[in-house]
Amino acid sequence: MFKNNKYNLGAFMLYMCMFLHGIQAIVLSQNTDVFASRWGTDAAGVLSVIAWTGVGKILFQAFSGSLSDKIGRRPMVVTGALGYVVLFGALIFCKSIWLANALSFIGGAATSLYDGGVNPGVMEIYPNDKSTASVINKGAISVSGVLYPLLVGFVLSHELSPNILLIIPLVISILVFLGLLFVPLPDDDIRKEQGVSAAEAIKILEKDQAANSTMIHKITKANRWFEGLLFPILGFCIYSTFYLFQQVVSIYATDVLNLGAQGASQMASIYQVGSFLAVILSTVIIAKGIRDISLMVVFPLLASAGAMLVYLMPTNITLMVTAFVIGFCAAGGILQMGNSLFNQFFDTNKGRNTNIYFFIMSLGSYVMPRLASYLKTIDFTKVMLLDAGVAFLAFLLMILIAMRYKKVFGVSPFSRTK
């Protein structure tokens, strides 16, 4: 996959975008007490600010993929990186909840720009290993998701300035922004070499890679109105499962189980460890010939069972187990596998496909915090029941997709590729 690929450095910078996304996704929830104090609000107020991330994601996800297909991958990721520089930099000085809402919106918008450029970008760098390349995206998110809560715990335990938790991602964001200006990317090279537009360069790239692809070929055409609808809804359910848990686990640990701030932070780390281990295991399993779709059928069911476990038996131990299970089964790369599989069913206009998939997915980043904020005012234990239900719906959708996979590609989703 990586051998003799001149775009490995470009892929590294794209993965660093996802590393930063892992921090952006939890920076507000991991520092709830600090931001609540600065903005003159409470935990429910911070959750409402987080919901503005969803607004930014939704609005920009509506066009980011299609725009990426027209202007190229580099402008998208460079602009996204600049958005993160603004986010982390301004949060250091933010004292107003209204400004916090605006910054949260910018963070969501920047993430959508990343989605429009990074996801098709890595699939173009590694065209014969799309699932693995997409799962590594999640691996980058998981690494920062493991490290950042540990950094939070370190800063709290040593009574250091909480601004350190913003300065570090700010510096990384600046370095990534500068790096993205210069690294080589396939579509950009074709544009320069052949003197064509960015949109034409991407079409040439897709045609060349399709002709030389070693991946499985379709025996019948996929149905845009069936699979084309199932995949985005699946993305919403998978994303909502882990995003909701990620945003509420620290608050649940402190408010329901009465854990301290450090104990709550450790729960978030356990979740991220599960996610990171899933990325490694999934990459190995796929390399050994197990189809990604077979993992996608099983994992949502396990995630649903994990959330139901902590709802029925809310203890420190069950929350630890659930944090690992949901991290492993919902946040361990199956969202990215879903996008890769979507682009196997519909193998042109990767930017547009990614656009649709992540646009519907991004609704979860607004809907779930809103529901969590509401449940916080009535019965916060029900948040785990909500998580279990959404994960189970993802399982049902995967059953339908697995049935269509056999018809479209002519092989069982549980067969081996090698």
Side-chain angles (χ1 to χ4, degrees), residues 28-242:
L28 298 181
S29 60
Q30 282 290 303
N31 298 285
T32 297
D33 291 341
V34 172
F35 289 129
S37 175
R38 289 184 179 182
W39 303 337
T41 186
D42 55 13
V46 175
L47 281 171
S48 294
V49 171
I50 292 171
W52 279 94
T53 298
V55 177
K57 285 177 68 69
I58 292 166
L59 292 180
F60 277 69
Q61 202 67 254
F63 62 83
S64 63
S66 298
L67 184 61
S68 177
D69 282 341
K70 291 180 180 178
I71 68 174
R73 314 310 181 199
R74 191 190 307 278
M76 303 299 294
V77 293
V78 167
T79 308
L82 183 60
Y84 274 20
V85 171
V86 172
L87 169 69
F88 293 122
L91 278 176
I92 297 173
F93 307 101
C94 179
K95 301 293 183 182
S96 162
I97 194 169
W98 300 108
L99 177 58
N101 287 334
L103 293 175
S104 183
F105 177 91
I106 290 171
T111 300
S112 288
L113 295 178
Y114 274 162
D115 287 339
V118 172
N119 290 289
V122 295
M123 286 191 283
E124 288 163 355
I125 291 174
Y126 306 113
N128 292 321
D129 299 279
K130 292 179 181 178
S131 286
T132 302
S134 297
V135 169
I136 294 174
N137 265 348
K138 181 57 189 179
I141 296 172
S142 298
V143 169
S144 58
V146 171
L147 296 179
Y148 191 76
L150 296 177
L151 179 63
V152 171
F154 178 84
V155 169
L156 290 175
S157 62
H158 289 77
E159 298 182 349
L160 302 175
S161 170
N163 284 338
I164 292 172
L165 300 170
L166 298 169
I167 292 171
I168 291 175
L170 171 62
V171 171
I172 298 173
S173 296
I174 293 171
L175 294 175
V176 169
F177 169 75
L178 295 174
L180 288 170
L181 294 173
F182 302 105
V183 292
L185 296 172
D187 66 301
D188 202 42
D189 279 358
I190 290 176
R191 180 185 64 81
K192 293 175 182 176
E193 291 168 3
Q194 300 191 22
V196 295
S197 68
E200 191 62 32
I202 289 172
K203 289 180 181 178
I204 293 170
L205 183 62
E206 287 179 340
K207 184 177 180 180
D208 290 346
Q209 291 184 343
N212 298 313
S213 176
T214 60
M215 298 184 72
I216 188 172
H217 294 286
K218 292 179 284 189
I219 61 171
T220 188
K221 191 175 181 180
N223 188 324
R224 174 62 73 173
W225 291 106
F226 190 64
E227 293 91 79
L229 188 61
L230 288 181
F231 274 105
I233 298 173
L234 173 70
F236 170 86
C237 292
I238 294 172
Y239 180 77
S240 294
T241 299
F242 72 76

Side-chain angles (χ1 to χ4, degrees), residues 135 138-143 146 269-285 295 299 323-329 331-333 337:
V135 169
K138 181 57 189 179
I141 296 172
S142 298
V143 169
V146 171
S269 292
I270 291 170
Y271 159 88
Q272 294 293 353
V273 167
S275 172
F276 182 65
L277 291 178
V279 169
I280 297 173
L281 183 61
S282 298
T283 302
V284 172
I285 288 176
L295 302 180
F299 280 7
F324 182 85
V325 169
I326 289 183
F328 191 95
C329 294
M337 289 182 201

Side-chain angles (χ1 to χ4, degrees), residues 5-14 126 183-184:
N5 192 321
K6 70 176 183 177
Y7 297 110
N8 284 333
L9 181 58
F12 173 76
M13 294 307 300
L14 295 179
Y126 306 113
V183 292

